[in-house]
């Protein structure tokens, strides 16, 4: 198996996208160094201005409105509760703009956009793996003023439990755009090996799901195995069983003996109970995205380590409603399309939801970016199918036998119609033939 790192040749027109998305996806390690973090902050601000300019010059879609409503509800809740509105706007902006920007760029050129996104993801994953080999204990304890706990190592892409958030997104992009499945499998192996090394309980569970999908991905009809509606229902059942009814005791053997975690998921059940108590006080508008709740006796504030509870705490059921509308708008697209990519996106969304059961994920933009990719499934497939490159040699051989001419005199090229007309809507395929004819023998 031959693995090739994506080409580093970047066109000038692609540079803005690379810089903007790299800045928005700033590795967690860089936030611990003031100078580097300041540089990335400047890049984020410049990128934000550029993205806003692009959005102003473009047509606003309904999906854009759902994204703005969701993030806007979080800022509104913060303002109503007298929180730090500036900090809320900053947090929301750096999570919202990457989603809007990615959606806009996919609309313009989906193939090129996902290719560039893959370059960033592959670079980040490989750097994280390399640094983990060089510095197995992580970087946290070497940084002055950085508080570390025994099980909280700081890696290039974040703490041990946070790695899986990026890995799910990176693996999705890898399978979407990898030219060879072997490359996607190798990247899967790198990510799974990393999660097994740091031994995050949530990460190990998700890795099992990803491995199962990677094995089934070798088939041509995996869309029959994974349906987003079924997986969403499965997530709701799992959520109610664990978070609401606390039935994890039924799986104590797996949780304790295999994952080496306690039944409370390292104290997360206590955080869930506290979060539900706070929610009952302000169920409709929440406490704002910058509020410090779940404060322990030690004075340290924690998040509820659960996506749904975190959304309701920050923005109340208003924000949860906006989130559900945004989620439905995305999954509605892939539920109606029987593509291989539909199953790929469905599994990625499900894995992220499973990871969000016991981890803080609301302020990480990767889940929102996955929803953007899901919403644009039609555009990505239109520009990708049918793939003629693997069949060109056979087509040339067939033409050679029919025309009885040398193979080197036959040329076949394939292109797209840039989503225009009936061909762009995948309602048909067009073919053009050009024949050069000479009088006499050559």
């Amino acid at each position: 198996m031959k693995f090739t790192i994506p080409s580093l040749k970047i066109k000038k027109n692609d540079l803005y996208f690379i810089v903007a998305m790299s800045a928005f996806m700033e590795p967690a390690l860089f936030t611990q160094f003031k100078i580097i973090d300041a540089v990335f902050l400047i890049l984020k601000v410049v990128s934000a201005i550029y993205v806003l300019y692009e959005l102003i010059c473009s047509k606003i879609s309904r999906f854009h409105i759902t994204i703005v409503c969701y993030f806007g509800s979080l800022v509104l809740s913060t303002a109503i509760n007298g929180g730090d509105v500036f900090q809320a706007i900053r947090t929301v902006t750096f999570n919202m703009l990457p989603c809007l920007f990615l959606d806009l760029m996919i609309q313009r050129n989906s193939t090129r956009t996902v290719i560039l996104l893959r370059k960033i993801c592959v670079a980040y994953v490989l750097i994280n793996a390399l640094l983990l080999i060089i510095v197995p204990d992580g970087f946290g304890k070497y940084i002055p003023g950085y508080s570390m706990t025994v099980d909280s190592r700081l890696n290039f892409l974040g703490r041990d439990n946070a790695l899986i958030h990026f890995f799910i997104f990176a693996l999705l992009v890898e399978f979407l755009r990898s030219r060879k499945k072997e490359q996607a499998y190798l990247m899967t192996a790198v990510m799974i090996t990393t999660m097994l090394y740091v031994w995050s309980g949530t990460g190990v569970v998700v890795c099992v799901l990803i491995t199962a999908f990677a094995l089934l991905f070798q088939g041509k009809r995996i869309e029959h195995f994974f349906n987003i509606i079924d997986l969403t229902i499965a997530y709701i059942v799992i959520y109610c069983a664990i978070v609401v009814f606390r039935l994890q005791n039924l799986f104590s053997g797996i949780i304790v003996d295999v994952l080496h975690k306690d039944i409370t998921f390292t104290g997360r059940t206590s955080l869930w109970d506290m979060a539900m108590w706070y929610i009952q006080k302000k169920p409709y508008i929440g406490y704002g995205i910058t509020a410090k709740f779940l404060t322990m006796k030690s004075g340290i504030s924690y998040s509820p380590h659960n996506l749904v509870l975190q959304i309701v705490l920050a923005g109340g059921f208003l924000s949860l409603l906006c989130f559900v509308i945004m989620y439905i708008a995305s999954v509605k697209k892939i539920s109606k399309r029987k593509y291989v990519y539909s199953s790929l996106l469905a599994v990625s969304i499900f894995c992220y939801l499973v990871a969000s059961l016991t981890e803080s994920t609301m302020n990480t933009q990767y889940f929102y970016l996955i929803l953007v990719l899901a919403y644009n499934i039609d555009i990505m497939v239109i520009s990708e199918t049918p793939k003629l490159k693997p069949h060109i040699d056979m087509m040339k051989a067939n033409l050679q036998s029919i025309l009885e001419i040398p193979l080197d005199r036959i040329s076949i090229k394939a292109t797209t119609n840039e989503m225009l007309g009936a061909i762009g809507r995948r309602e048909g395929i067009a073919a053009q033939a050009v024949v050069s004819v000479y009088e006499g023998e050559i």
Side-chain angles (χ1 to χ4, degrees), residues 39 56 62-63 100 103 108 139 192 234 246-247 256 282 303 309 315 329 342 369 378 394 415:
V39 172
I56 292 173
R62 292 182 180 179
F63 187 59
L100 298 175
D103 180 76
R108 293 180 178 178
F139 292 86
I192 291 177
R246 307 292 168 83
L247 300 180
V256 177
K282 288 186 176 182
S303 77
L309 293 178
S342 300
L369 294 177
D378 283 340
M394 184 180 297
T415 185

Side-chain angles (χ1 to χ4, degrees), residues 45-60 97 101 104 108:
V45 173
V46 174
S47 300
I49 296 173
Y50 170 72
V51 173
L52 287 173
Y53 171 77
E54 290 290 336
L55 289 171
I56 292 173
C57 298
S58 305
K59 182 180 179 180
I60 303 299
L97 289 184
F101 186 44
L104 179 62
R108 293 180 178 178

Side-chain angles (χ1 to χ4, degrees), residues 239 243 271-272 275-276 279 304 306-314:
Y239 184 92
V243 180
L271 295 175
W272 297 344
M276 292 177 185
I279 289 173
N306 181 277
L307 176 62
V308 174
L309 293 178
Q310 198 168 1
I311 291 175
V312 179
L313 269 175

Side-chain angles (χ1 to χ4, degrees), residues 405-418:
I405 60 176
L407 192 63
D408 58 4
R409 295 187 182 180
I410 301 174
S411 176
I412 298 178
K413 297 180 180 180
T415 185
T416 67
N417 209 45
E418 299 297 335

